[in-house]
Amino acid sequence: MQDEARVVARLDEWASLIATLDKQMNALESIVGRGESSLSVAVMDLQSSYTDVVAELVGDRWGLLDWYYMQNELGRKGATRQARGWKKPRRVKSSLQLARLIGAY
């Protein structure tokens, strides 16, 4: 895996952009309503493609970025995950903890 500080910086940038896109999408939906508009599909595709690229760059071959975003709400839930080398599951609430999870898989 790359230098941990570089991975954390990349993950911080990724999480910030994903959160910004979510916020903008919520604002748009408050104006035009919820639904699968062309714009909402385009934003979701952008998020997915960007996540795939960042996952490749940080060495995530297990879908951990998707898990961190979708199920752990970018760390807000503080969900736990266990890597092969860990004796027990650990909370993942930050980019640093996510980087360490990726590195331990």
Side-chain angles (χ1 to χ4, degrees):
M1 187 161 134
Q2 305 170 38
D3 172 43
E4 187 176 83
R6 290 175 122 182
V7 171
V8 170
R10 224 177 265 267
L11 292 172
D12 281 340
E13 289 174 2
W14 165 78
S16 177
L17 179 64
I18 294 296
T20 298
L21 288 171
D22 277 348
K23 188 176 181 179
Q24 294 304 318
M25 196 60 178
N26 291 337
L28 178 66
E29 286 176 345
S30 73
I31 296 168
V32 299
R34 280 184 128 39
E36 285 203 18
S37 69
S38 297
L39 183 56
S40 65
V41 170
V43 170
M44 287 185 283
D45 287 348
L46 174 64
Q47 286 177 308
S48 179
S49 295
Y50 183 54
T51 297
D52 290 346
V53 168
V54 173
E56 179 74 24
L57 290 172
V58 300
D60 174 21
R61 298 184 307 266
W62 308 275
L64 296 171
L65 270 70
D66 284 323
W67 167 82
Y68 186 73
Y69 168 52
M70 301 298 287
Q71 295 174 352
N72 198 16
E73 297 178 3
L74 295 173
R76 287 187 299 274
K77 279 188 161 182
T80 59
R81 197 72 189 237
Q82 185 166 353
R84 273 183 261 139
W86 296 351
K87 292 183 181 185
K88 61 182 182 175
R90 298 180 187 177
R91 289 205 183 282
V92 183
K93 296 175 74 174
S94 68
S95 295
L96 174 61
Q97 292 167 331
L98 179 59
R100 288 182 176 164
L101 175 65
I102 293 167
Y105 253 77

